[in-house]
Amino acid sequence: MSRAFAGTPQSNKVSFDPSTNTYSGGNVGGDVSINGASPGSPGMGGGLVARAFDTPPAAARPPAGQSLIDRAFNTQPQQQVPQFNAPQVAHSGNDWEARNNLRNLEVSASSITNNGGAFDSRRGRINGPSLAQAAFQDAARADLSARAEQPRLDMATNQVNAGLQREGMEQQGNQQRSLVQAMLGQQANQTELEKARIAADTGTQRSMIDALGTIEAAKERAAAANRSNAPAGYRFNTSGGLEAIPGGPADKSQAPLNDVQSKALQFGSRMQEADKTLSDLANQGVTQPGLIKRAADAVGMGAAANWTQSAEQQKVEQSQRDYINAVLRRESGAAISDGEFANARQQYFPQPGDSPEVIDQKLKNRAIATAGIKAEVPNSEQRIGQVVGAGNAAVAANTENAQITEIQRRAASDPAFAARLKEMGY
């Protein structure tokens, strides 16, 4: 007698007329109307559970951008948890066929041939209800049982739906917590990167300011030593007067150098400084140019192979060239051939396979050649010191100018750095 009803209802309302003991209205499906209200309406038990777990409307959500929780709420899409409709047990209250069958049984049981009256053919022979009456009674009891079963199914379905909603909320809560944790981690990483950038900028600014301070200190020392720009060859003494620099062009105690002596001063200064650079590099374990570069020089491709040398090897090569050019130009005054240059290199500088004794001998040769040229210059040590000092000053000035240019460039693009320099009086 009971069966599940899955058809689409024509009407959600069922009417019962007690005067005629009949029903009217369409079939009743899952969204049955009770007292004129649907399950989704306020007051309906089945809809309250689902509405308790509905996604809140946009107006009820927290404003976006106020916190990580809000951002996680708005970033994570709200997932709709599927809901189940309770199975419908067919009975006279919701199924036309069940209602019609029960009505037919009732009509049959109440007919004059089955009601125990004068026209009942069983009268006086069989006591108790007729078969039609028994069938109607059984059908009525079954219909009442079906009606009582429906609330239990509704309750069980609501419990299942509530469990699904709880599980969905737990999953979404876990996802939002994971999203918040990821956002916190990303925010922490961005904070660390910003700290590192600020530290790097601060370190760069501090280095710039330290360099500027070093330059200014050098200027102050130079100003204190010179007090003002003295004429060439003169300096200020402790009393503030001018005096000739010993060995300088204004020193009347020394005769001016002739042409031979001037050239000897020039070549001797170059040889002495080149030999000093080579000695410093030898103490670092670098005594020869790169072998690849030297092989390329032999075939006229030296410039293309210069990159194969380390910075120290390039310094060795440059110092050797400076030394050899000074020696050969002093000796001949003519252009230097490749053969002469190669021969001088073997004569004065270590070669692959040289024994320690030969290397020492070549060092001695360089010392003798340098001393021989310097001997042609009166008061050579003082004069060479002046020449070398002028060269060092030019290098220092160039380095200082480069540092100042870099500081000016940085200040032009960094207002904070420029303001700090201004506060320091620059």
Side-chain angles (χ1 to χ4, degrees):
M1 191 68 185
S2 299
R3 66 182 179 86
F5 180 76
T8 302
Q10 300 297 323
S11 173
N12 287 335
K13 189 171 183 180
V14 178
S15 299
F16 174 71
D17 187 354
S19 62
T20 60
N21 197 28
T22 59
Y23 298 84
S24 63
N27 295 334
V28 181
D31 292 333
V32 63
S33 297
I34 301 177
N35 294 329
S38 62
S41 303
M44 295 305 299
L48 287 176
V49 177
R51 288 198 307 278
F53 297 96
D54 278 347
T55 302
R61 297 182 186 177
Q66 292 185 352
S67 66
L68 287 176
I69 301 298
D70 297 337
R71 290 167 56 192
F73 182 86
N74 292 320
T75 302
Q76 183 67 27
Q78 305 298 305
Q79 300 178 353
Q80 297 295 332
V81 179
Q83 297 290 285
F84 294 97
N85 292 324
Q88 300 296 304
V89 179
H91 54 75
S92 61
N94 64 6
D95 185 74
W96 180 88
E97 183 179 354
R99 182 168 62 249
N100 191 58
N101 290 339
L102 184 62
R103 178 176 173 277
N104 290 337
L105 290 173
E106 183 182 12
V107 170
S108 178
S110 61
S111 67
I112 60 176
T113 60
N114 292 312
N115 61 5
F119 297 98
D120 192 341
S121 59
R122 299 178 306 126
R123 184 179 180 186
R125 295 184 294 106
I126 301 176
N127 294 325
S130 64
L131 293 176
Q133 290 175 332
F136 173 70
Q137 293 173 357
D138 290 341
R141 283 193 294 270
D143 187 70
L144 289 175
S145 297
R147 287 173 176 268
E149 182 69 12
Q150 190 62 51
R152 187 189 69 80
L153 292 175
D154 291 341
M155 182 178 296
T157 301
N158 286 338
Q159 291 175 349
V160 171
N161 289 336
L164 291 174
Q165 289 284 4
R166 284 193 297 272
E167 183 178 354
M169 291 184 66
E170 290 176 358
Q171 292 178 356
Q172 191 158 356
N174 292 334
Q175 292 173 353
Q176 291 180 350
R177 280 192 294 273
S178 299
L179 184 58
V180 169
Q181 291 175 354
M183 288 181 174
L184 288 173
Q186 183 180 12
Q187 192 175 63
N189 291 338
Q190 291 176 346
T191 301
E192 291 300 321
L193 288 175
E194 183 64 17
K195 287 181 179 178
R197 185 191 66 78
I198 292 174
D201 287 347
T202 303
T204 301
Q205 291 181 0
R206 187 179 297 111
S207 299
M208 290 287 191
I209 292 172
D210 290 344
L212 187 60
T214 301
I215 294 171
E216 291 298 324
K219 288 182 177 180
E220 289 295 330
R221 288 193 299 269
N226 296 325
R227 298 192 182 179
S228 65
N229 294 326
Y234 291 89
R235 66 184 179 187
F236 287 96
N237 55 29
T238 55
S239 61
L242 287 174
E243 63 180 11
I245 299 174
D251 187 1
K252 302 301 182 180
S253 63
Q254 299 189 79
L257 300 179
N258 58 34
D259 184 62
V260 174
Q261 292 170 336
S262 296
K263 290 183 178 179
L265 175 60
Q266 176 188 358
F267 294 133
S269 300
R270 289 168 54 185
M271 293 167 64
Q272 176 174 295
E273 286 303 298
D275 194 54
K276 180 178 179 299
T277 301
L278 291 170
S279 297
D280 293 340
L281 292 170
N283 291 334
Q284 302 176 30
V286 183
T287 59
Q288 300 180 45
L291 295 180
I292 296 177
K293 174 64 166 54
R294 293 186 62 178
D297 284 336
V299 294
M301 297 292 292
N306 192 46
W307 64 271
T308 62
Q309 299 188 109
S310 66
E312 290 76 15
Q313 289 174 327
Q314 291 177 357
K315 288 182 180 180
V316 168
E317 182 181 24
Q318 170 60 25
S319 297
Q320 288 184 358
R321 285 184 177 275
D322 200 16
Y323 190 95
I324 293 172
N325 285 330
V327 171
L328 296 183
R329 282 300 182 97
R330 176 67 181 84
E331 292 177 352
S332 66
I336 303 170
S337 67
D338 292 340
E340 289 176 321
F341 192 93
N343 181 66
R345 173 176 277 172
Q346 292 182 356
Q347 177 182 353
Y348 291 113
F349 304 111
Q351 302 298 310
D354 281 353
S355 65
E357 293 79 10
V358 172
I359 294 176
D360 290 340
Q361 183 181 4
K362 291 181 178 182
L363 177 62
K364 183 178 179 181
N365 289 343
R366 294 200 304 274
I368 293 174
T370 304
I373 293 181
K374 289 169 58 178
E376 299 180 17
V377 182
N379 197 12
S380 61
E381 292 300 328
Q382 184 177 16
R383 292 181 183 274
I384 289 177
Q386 292 174 350
V387 173
V388 173
N392 292 337
V395 173
N398 184 64
T399 302
E400 177 181 320
N401 291 335
Q403 291 175 334
I404 292 176
T405 301
E406 174 60 21
I407 291 173
Q408 291 173 341
R409 184 198 65 78
R410 179 67 186 275
S413 61
D414 190 342
F417 182 60
R420 188 169 180 184
L421 291 176
K422 186 175 181 180
E423 291 175 358
M424 297 175 64
Y426 295 112

